[in-house]
Amino acid sequence: PVDSIFEDYPESQAKEYFAKVQAVIEDTRGLVMTYQGELVQAYYFSNGGGYTENIEDVWDSEAIEYLQGVPSVGDIKSESYCTIETFTPAEFIKGLQKIEPELSVGESDVFDSICNIERSEAGRVKSISIGGYDFKGTQLRTALSLRSTNFILKQTDGGEIIAVVFGSGHGVGMSQWGAGVMASSGSSYEEILKHYYSGIEIIEYSAESL
């Protein structure tokens, strides 16, 4: 809720932010996004790692024109643009076994068993084979608590497995960080929305308009 601003910021700053939020609400009251006369599915997330994702490459979905990948250059200004997670081979295997309990691969062999990595155009892992089992990128993200499916796996000389992760979130729709940077650079809310949701229209809502 908007009132939570007063819990997160000093009073003077909270009042300023609250006033801005209220102004935005009033300025956009009654407006909706549509595509070919239908209300859109306005997915959003924290940080795209530089590029958003096609919906069909993330979830079991048909392609949707306004939910296709677009550049999101402002993401690089966020601390969540690139994060690194480190696992011992035992921790890595334990994570995989949350998805495939019967996975049986030695700690010294697990990294070398990684193969058949399929990536989307945006660079996110769609599927990957480890220890003879196939995993979806979304499964591995959940199992290892990674911020996104846009990751690269490396092994250190000491045997630890490192996941270098770009972005934060599922990647479909609007990047909040990218949108924030566009706004700071002078883009209007309409320009931002039409960038992240290609081909949409913003109209006054009424039963007759849909």
Side-chain angles (χ1 to χ4, degrees):
V2 176
D3 290 346
S4 65
I5 292 175
F6 291 94
E7 299 174 7
D8 300 330
Y9 298 95
E11 185 176 359
S12 60
Q13 192 174 10
K15 286 182 177 179
E16 177 187 352
Y17 290 168
F18 185 83
K20 288 182 178 180
V21 171
Q22 290 297 101
V24 169
I25 291 173
E26 291 304 318
D27 288 346
T28 59
R29 186 179 298 279
L31 298 180
V32 295
M33 290 192 296
T34 65
Y35 180 77
Q36 295 184 349
E38 301 288 337
L39 291 173
V40 305
Q41 302 174 65
Y43 296 112
Y44 63 93
F45 56 95
S46 177
N47 186 302
Y51 213 88
T52 69
E53 188 60 275
N54 302 336
I55 188 172
E56 68 271 20
D57 288 334
V58 177
W59 299 311
D60 294 328
S61 168
E62 296 293 327
I64 298 175
E65 186 172 344
Y66 62 83
L67 292 176
Q68 297 296 291
V70 297
S72 186
V73 295
D75 293 333
I76 197 171
K77 295 192 175 183
S78 167
E79 293 181 358
S80 65
Y81 174 74
C82 181
T83 53
I84 296 176
E85 302 292 341
T86 303
F87 308 90
T88 65
E91 291 170 338
F92 190 76
I93 293 169
K94 185 177 180 180
L96 299 179
Q97 288 173 335
K98 296 176 185 177
I99 308 299
E100 290 290 351
E102 296 183 5
L103 175 74
S104 179
V105 60
E107 293 180 21
S108 60
D109 299 322
V110 64
F111 184 80
D112 289 335
S113 75
I114 299 172
C115 60
N116 301 328
I117 302 175
E118 181 186 1
R119 294 183 181 274
S120 68
E121 292 181 10
R124 290 176 175 79
V125 175
K126 295 175 65 176
S127 62
I128 184 171
S129 298
I130 307 176
Y133 285 88
D134 295 329
F135 299 88
K136 292 181 179 180
T138 50
Q139 290 179 311
L140 211 64
R141 177 194 172 195
T142 299
L144 300 176
S145 298
L146 304 180
R147 289 196 173 190
S148 85
T149 56
N150 190 350
F151 57 83
I152 299 170
L153 297 176
K154 300 286 186 180
Q155 188 168 41
T156 68
D157 292 339
E160 292 181 316
I161 298 173
I162 294 176
V164 182
V165 187
F166 298 93
S168 180
H170 51 67
V172 178
M174 184 179 70
S175 164
Q176 291 172 296
W177 263 98
V181 172
M182 287 183 68
S184 297
S185 300
S187 296
S188 67
Y189 75 85
E190 186 171 354
E191 289 171 331
I192 294 169
L193 293 175
K194 288 187 174 181
H195 171 73
Y196 283 105
Y197 305 101
S198 305
I200 59 101
E201 293 185 0
I202 300 173
I203 65 171
E204 289 277 357
Y205 175 80
S206 69
E208 291 76 21
S209 63
L210 299 175

